[in-house]
Amino acid sequence: MKRKINLWTSVLALVTCLVTFCATLAVSYQTAFHRMETETSRQAALVAAGLEEIKSLSQEMRMEYLVAVGKSDRSRVTLIDPDGTVIFDSNTDPDHMENHLERPEVQEAMQGGQGAAARTSSTLGHQTYYTAIQLSTGEILRLSNTTDIVMDDLQRAIPPLLLIILLVCGLSMWLAHQLTVRLVAPINTLNLEKPLENNIYEEFSPLLSKIHAQNLQIQQQIEILRRRQVEFEAITSNMSEGLIVLDDELRILSANSAAVRLMGAETRDWSGENLIVFSRDTTLSQKARAAVRGGKESLACENKEGAHLHLSLSPVDVEGAPRGCVLLIVDVSERYAAERSRREFTANVSHELKTPLTSISGYAEMVSLGLAKPDDVRGFAQKIHDEAGRLIALVDDIMKLSHLDESTPASLPFEPVELYALAYETTERLRRTAEEQNVEITLEGAPVTVRGVRRMLGEAVFNLCDNAIKYNRAGGRVTVSVGMSHGCACIKVADSGAGIASEDQPHIFERFYRADKSHSKTVGGTGLGLAIVKHVCEIHGASVRVESVLGQGSTFIVTFKPADR
Ligand code: ADP
């Protein structure tokens, strides 16, 4: 800006000086020309008066007078005969001069006594001013001056004029610089943070008001953006899913902590890094590139810890143009495991059903084909009955499990359940079975109430007690205890049976897992009893564990959460 003001002020000064210079020259020229006209006319009158004085003298003497005049003056002196013949000329030989009768100034003088004209001289070839006077002798006296005289005067005036112009220009530039510095100084020290506090030219007020308004607007927008950023971070940092926002160059704009954890990346700020640096997965980068181009992409992968991840990529469009994509990472390990266990369960169910059905079919075929001796038919019928009973028990347990699979705590009619009474009912139901097995069953403890589904809890306690009898020895004991332990309601079922090997203990709650296969089948086990117990406990927010020493017996402990008291 400073430079521009300086430049334009200097140009202005220069142009002004040049215009002044030209105008001065033009005016000077006009003045000098007019002065020359007046001077020539005055001299002509003087010379004419002189010639009138000496008209009685001889022609030679008159010529001498004219020669003397011609020498003493810059003007050209010409004497013309009334017939136009040039008698004398101070600059040229009259013999070589043409007739001057037709010259305008001569014609004018012959008619009115005096004449004047300005033109280019045919004799001298210069722009010339002529003035002519008719003498009493009839002759015409003509005096002329060329504009060269005027130009000479002007040329003398040019150097001082140019000097003056240079001085004026220099002074103007210096003044322009000083002025610019003074004008610009307050602008340079403007406080744009607080525009209204500036004490500067009035003309700046609208601009400063606008800057103030824009400052306020920007501050509001920054505040809105900051709040949104905080909201976004609060939401994403509490998400269990990983969320990564990428720009169109696959640079990370934001990655939440779940994304970093699930992808097994180093815990640090990944903003600005390329996706390939973050995950090293080329397939993911390719899919991300495709997503940026506008398509929805997804892929499944496993992280270093073996978790199954589902990654979905969605493009982000801003005003119709692709600007990046969003990567959502979901840990589907549980779903994956559930699907796998469902598949395994189905396979196991088929297998478990097939065994008794094959037996039933075999015995029935033998009886129907008459292959069985009449004495054996009764035994075969008993076997068919036993296998059918096993089938019924199996189907019964499968139905209970599938019902539990579909149940959620919210969908169930929870009510206060008194555990001691529940355990009493169960032990009473099993007392006969226990006696048949020569096992003594006792109940101890105190009433404890939990919130739950009575039928389901009864089922779980029944399964534990039933196992404790089934896997016991003749003359053994089963002790059921109900009470509080460390502030939590709990129920323990202890037996003096064969116990469970430590390598089997982590698996006995799995569906169809049998620690002792042959014994389980002999006692009519389905392999689903403890799975049902575990499921019931999960629904009630309780935990179940086993403490067992091989050969000494097992204790199953169900512990409810304190909130369930
Ligand atoms: P089952 O119908 O075969 O009894 P469960 O799921 O109830 O199936 O039990 C799984 C396995 O755990 C059983 O097959 C058995 O080997 C073992 N088990 C369960 N309870 C006891 C116990 N009280 N003592 C010894 N082993 C047990």
Side-chain angles (χ1 to χ4, degrees):
M1 182 186 167
K2 249 185 187 174
R3 261 180 46 201
K4 272 197 171 174
I5 294 180
N6 275 335
L7 181 75
W8 282 108
T9 319
S10 307
V11 169
L12 193 70
L14 200 67
V15 170
T16 312
C17 288
L18 280 176
V19 169
T20 312
F21 176 68
C22 293
T24 309
L25 276 186
V27 170
S28 301
Y29 180 82
Q30 284 300 322
T31 312
F33 194 83
H34 182 68
R35 203 172 53 237
M36 182 201 64
E37 279 178 349
T38 319
E39 193 60 26
T40 309
S41 303
R42 196 179 59 80
Q43 280 176 353
L46 279 173
V47 176
L51 279 175
E52 289 295 348
E53 281 298 318
I54 57 168
K55 68 179 175 191
S56 52
L57 297 180
S58 65
Q59 190 70 353
E60 284 80 27
M61 292 191 73
R62 289 176 75 214
M63 290 307 122
E64 275 173 26
Y65 168 69
L66 287 177
V67 168
V69 169
K71 279 182 183 164
S72 66
D73 201 84
R74 285 193 301 185
S75 305
R76 177 184 166 197
V77 183
T78 312
L79 189 67
I80 302 158
D81 197 68
D83 63 0
T85 310
V86 177
I87 305 166
F88 174 82
D89 190 274
S90 59
N91 285 19
T92 316
D93 183 2
D95 294 341
H96 295 107
M97 292 173 72
E98 60 188 36
N99 192 292
H100 273 42
L101 190 63
E102 294 307 317
R103 296 290 193 269
E105 67 279 2
V106 174
Q107 280 293 318
E108 210 180 316
M110 288 181 86
Q111 281 158 23
Q114 211 162 3
R119 66 171 180 281
T120 304
S121 162
S122 59
T123 314
L124 301 173
H126 291 288
Q127 179 69 20
T128 313
Y129 174 74
Y130 299 96
T131 181
I133 295 172
Q134 190 169 36
L135 302 174
S136 56
T137 53
E139 292 162 323
I140 307 292
L141 173 70
R142 190 183 74 171
L143 258 78
S144 63
N145 265 313
T146 62
T147 49
D148 290 353
I149 299 164
V150 178
M151 293 312 289
D152 284 351
D153 289 349
L154 284 181
Q155 271 169 10
R156 270 195 297 279
I158 286 172
L161 272 176
L162 280 176
L163 190 67
I164 290 166
I165 285 172
L166 277 177
L167 284 173
V168 169
C169 276
L171 190 68
S172 304
M173 282 179 191
W174 181 77
L175 281 175
H177 176 73
Q178 293 299 319
L179 194 71
T180 312
V181 168
R182 280 171 187 233
L183 276 173
V184 170
I187 299 172
N188 282 340
T189 54
L190 270 181
N191 180 1
L192 294 178
E193 301 280 312
K194 295 169 182 169
L196 296 185
E197 288 180 11
N198 292 296
N199 188 14
I200 194 179
Y201 315 112
E202 206 179 303
E203 292 76 3
F204 273 68
S205 292
L207 177 70
L208 293 174
S209 301
K210 194 151 195 175
I211 292 174
H212 175 69
Q214 281 182 348
N215 277 358
L216 287 180
Q217 206 178 344
I218 290 168
Q219 273 168 15
Q220 280 170 358
Q221 281 172 353
I222 287 174
E223 183 55 25
I224 292 169
L225 285 177
R226 200 187 59 76
R227 248 184 281 139
R228 280 194 193 157
Q229 174 86 8
V230 170
E231 274 170 26
F232 179 76
E233 273 168 17
I235 292 167
T236 56
S237 63
N238 288 314
M239 275 169 67
S240 55
E241 294 86 6
L243 185 77
I244 299 177
V245 184
L246 301 163
D247 70 5
D248 54 351
E249 300 274 322
L250 300 193
R251 277 187 302 254
I252 295 173
L253 297 177
S254 85
N256 69 352
S257 50
V260 175
R261 178 175 44 77
L262 289 171
M263 296 299 283
E266 189 189 323
T267 312
R268 65 175 172 92
D269 183 11
W270 285 92
S271 307
E273 298 277 8
N274 197 285
L275 182 63
I276 195 73
V277 182
F278 178 76
S279 84
R280 305 269 172 213
D281 186 338
T282 47
T283 317
L284 176 61
S285 289
Q286 278 167 11
K287 296 246 177 191
R289 229 166 276 129
V292 168
R293 285 196 293 270
K296 283 202 169 197
E297 299 287 335
S298 66
L299 77 154
C301 68
E302 216 173 297
N303 69 9
K304 286 178 208 154
E305 282 147 17
H308 292 268
L309 305 177
H310 181 262
L311 284 67
S312 47
L313 290 141
S314 312
V316 175
D317 285 359
V318 178
E319 290 165 2
R323 287 291 154 84
C325 68
V326 174
L327 168 61
L328 186 72
I329 306 153
V330 184
D331 184 350
V332 289
S333 304
E334 266 183 38
R335 204 168 70 200
Y336 189 82
E339 271 169 22
R340 200 182 55 198
S341 86
R342 236 194 317 274
R343 276 198 303 275
E344 283 172 10
F345 182 63
T346 314
N348 283 332
V349 165
S350 316
H351 177 75
E352 293 290 332
L353 288 174
K354 204 175 162 190
T355 318
L357 276 173
T358 312
S359 291
I360 290 170
S361 165
Y363 289 126
E365 190 179 17
M366 281 168 78
V367 173
S368 67
L369 290 175
L371 295 174
K373 292 177 200 159
D375 293 349
D376 294 337
V377 171
R378 214 181 148 87
F380 283 0
Q382 183 59 45
K383 288 209 163 109
I384 289 172
H385 181 261
D386 289 349
E387 292 297 338
R390 191 199 294 269
L391 262 182
I392 290 166
L394 194 62
V395 170
D396 205 30
D397 278 355
I398 290 169
M399 281 172 71
K400 280 176 195 158
L401 261 180
S402 82
H403 177 63
L404 285 169
D405 281 339
E406 282 163 19
S407 304
T408 57
S411 67
L412 293 168
F414 272 51
E415 57 180 340
V417 180
E418 206 282 283
L419 289 179
Y420 190 86
L422 189 78
Y424 179 77
E425 274 175 32
T426 310
T427 49
E428 285 310 304
R429 268 173 67 198
L430 283 166
R431 191 161 298 282
R432 220 176 125 214
T433 319
E435 279 168 11
E436 283 169 12
Q437 303 273 324
N438 194 16
V439 171
E440 188 193 346
I441 185 162
T442 53
L443 173 66
E444 58 185 44
V448 175
T449 304
V450 295
R451 279 193 66 77
V453 183
R454 191 180 170 80
R455 184 180 44 79
M456 285 183 178
L457 290 172
E459 187 73 43
V461 176
F462 182 90
N463 284 358
L464 292 174
C465 294
D466 188 40
N467 280 352
I469 297 167
K470 271 196 307 194
Y471 299 107
N472 219 314
R473 57 182 165 81
R477 269 194 343 270
V478 172
T479 310
V480 182
S481 327
V482 179
M484 297 295 289
S485 171
H486 302 292
C488 298
C490 72
I491 181 163
K492 291 181 190 173
V493 180
D495 65 65
S496 55
I500 305 161
S502 53
E503 64 268 22
D504 288 323
Q505 287 177 22
H507 304 291
I508 54 170
F509 294 98
E510 290 170 12
R511 295 173 184 194
F512 295 115
Y513 189 87
R514 293 178 180 95
D516 182 350
K517 285 187 183 57
S518 57
H519 189 78
S520 170
K521 295 228 166 137
T522 327
V523 294
T526 60
L528 294 173
L530 288 181
I532 292 172
V533 172
K534 190 183 171 201
H535 218 323
V536 169
C537 287
E538 277 170 4
I539 285 176
H540 287 79
S543 67
V544 58
R545 64 192 166 87
V546 63
E547 289 172 4
S548 181
V549 178
L550 209 55
Q552 288 183 18
S554 316
T555 305
F556 285 83
I557 305 153
V558 175
T559 312
F560 291 83
K561 279 188 178 168
D564 291 326
R565 273 185 289 168

